[in-house]
Amino acid sequence: MAGPKTLLVLENFINGKFVPCPSYIDSYDPSTGDVYCRVPDSGKEEVEVAVTAARDAFLGWSSKSPQERSQIMNKLADLIEHDLEAFAQAESKDQGKTITFARTVDIPRAAYNFRFFASSVLHHTTECTQMDHMDCMHYTVRTPVGIGIPPGVVNIVFGTGPKAGRAIVSHPDVPLISFTGSTLTAQHIRETSAPHCKKLSLELGGKNPAIIFEDANLDQCIPTTVRSSFANQGEICLCTSRIFVQRSIYNEFLKRFVEEARKWKVGSPSDPTSSMGALISKEHLEKVKNYVKKARAEGARILCGEGVDSLALPTGNQNGYFMLPTVIAEVKDESCCMQEEIFGPVTCVVLFDTEEEVIKRANGVKYGLAATIWSSNVGRVHRVAKRLQAGLVWTNCWLVRELNLPFGGMKASGIGREGAKESYEFFTEVKTITIKH
């Protein structure tokens, strides 16, 4: 008779060493619903040790040349690529996403990011001006705000938001916070960090529209919009959740879109033929399903997915947190499904008549992260893109990213931008030096 499975027990990583924690919390495999590892439930004590280690390591690391730091970042990229499969397996098991998505998107992107910034750090220049009539010269230098690979440079402290998160945000020796998550959590971060005047970079939620004009190429538009709606179970802040379709093509679009959505296979994340895996947690799955229930109660039509189609899962995944791609039609703009971030495989399709109308409706939410425009009219594309309240606008494509360009949202979708120049400026302080001779 086989004995009980041995659970993986994670440890904090502080000052170059793995450190156990006095208490732990369970972490579930979303695809099975079973506890598969235990995660440190860190608090003020663990955060204090990590901050001290970082502060002690700061002087040595920040004094390294750009060339030395570039070499280290490239080495990190090498190590990630060397163990790409192991990282992909771990990411899939932890998040519930398909192994294919982790293997082809998440882990390669992580390595690419290190390589990009390893190159970027070598090419930034400072400003210099002369004032001959004052016998003065001015120049600027950038000094690091935070830290980066010798012991103490990188510290990983696991824990919950109310305990570990609050301890980090409120610590006087943590000068800046870079956060990706919900708008509500960001509000707590801003309130907690305000007395310390911390620098903040907040990449928050979205309620991203796709605007599909009657001259769109539907052969390209439909499969891409299905992907933008349901990729990674819809658990990407850039996913499309409101689809506006011009009246003359509305019926054709809706028919073909639902047909394509039904082709997406929901199954075990380890199955290479699965298009979607499991949602992140049982609680989140219930939250997403409740949005569909609310839409139905409001009189909207559920065209496919939750409550309409049956979900067949392998035996080992019966207790996992799975949900079919769900398309909702005939939903009002003021509905919670059109206003609130669902962060799951649910999208709403509505019709519109005029360009002016759809711009107003697309902007009619508190978020402003991303948007997509589908049209073959170049003039229209430029007009609409300029007026949409979104930090990123894609035209006739989705999720085409370039790290040189700014990334971030407007309104409740965040504060600040990421990118080569933007990240460099956020993670450093500019200092002006004047020399009189």
Side-chain angles (χ1 to χ4, degrees), residues 80-96:
I80 291 172
E81 289 173 344
H82 181 268
D83 291 322
L84 187 149
E85 185 59 27
F87 281 123
Q89 295 283 350
E91 179 71 2
S92 175
K93 189 161 193 174
D94 182 61
Q95 297 288 310

Side-chain angles (χ1 to χ4, degrees), residues 43 47 51 157 163-174 176-177 198:
V47 169
V51 171
V157 179
K163 285 182 64 178
R166 179 172 289 276
I168 292 171
V169 171
S170 62
H171 200 291
D173 291 331
V174 176
L176 59 80
I177 303 293
K198 296 177 187 285

Side-chain angles (χ1 to χ4, degrees), residues 141-170:
V141 295
R142 285 277 176 178
T143 57
V145 175
I147 40 85
I149 303 301
V153 171
V154 171
N155 301 282
I156 301 172
V157 179
F158 294 94
T160 62
K163 285 182 64 178
R166 179 172 289 276
I168 292 171
V169 171
S170 62

Side-chain angles (χ1 to χ4, degrees), residues 208-212 225 229 240-245 250 253 257 338 347-351:
N208 310 309
I211 301 174
I212 301 167
T225 307
S229 300
T240 300
S241 57
R242 296 180 297 148
I243 304 173
F244 295 89
V245 186
Y250 178 79
F253 175 89
F257 185 80
M338 287 286 282
T347 194
C348 299
V349 185
V350 295
L351 61 81

Side-chain angles (χ1 to χ4, degrees), residues 53 106 116 127 144 155 247 296 309-310 319 382:
D106 291 309
F116 178 88
E127 297 172 355
N155 301 282
R247 185 179 296 272
R296 183 179 284 111
D309 301 311
S310 59
N319 295 321
H382 285 287

Side-chain angles (χ1 to χ4, degrees), residues 13 55 77 111 145 171 183 208 258 278 292-293 308 341 384 399 406:
F13 185 73
R55 188 172 56 231
V145 175
H171 200 291
T183 301
N208 310 309
V258 170
V292 182
K293 291 178 183 177
V308 176
E341 183 181 41
V384 176
L399 207 59

Side-chain angles (χ1 to χ4, degrees), residues 76-78 80-81 106-116:
L76 283 170
D78 292 340
I80 291 172
E81 289 173 344
D106 291 309
I107 310 307
R109 186 73 181 184
Y112 173 76
N113 284 4
F114 276 110
R115 294 208 190 282
F116 178 88

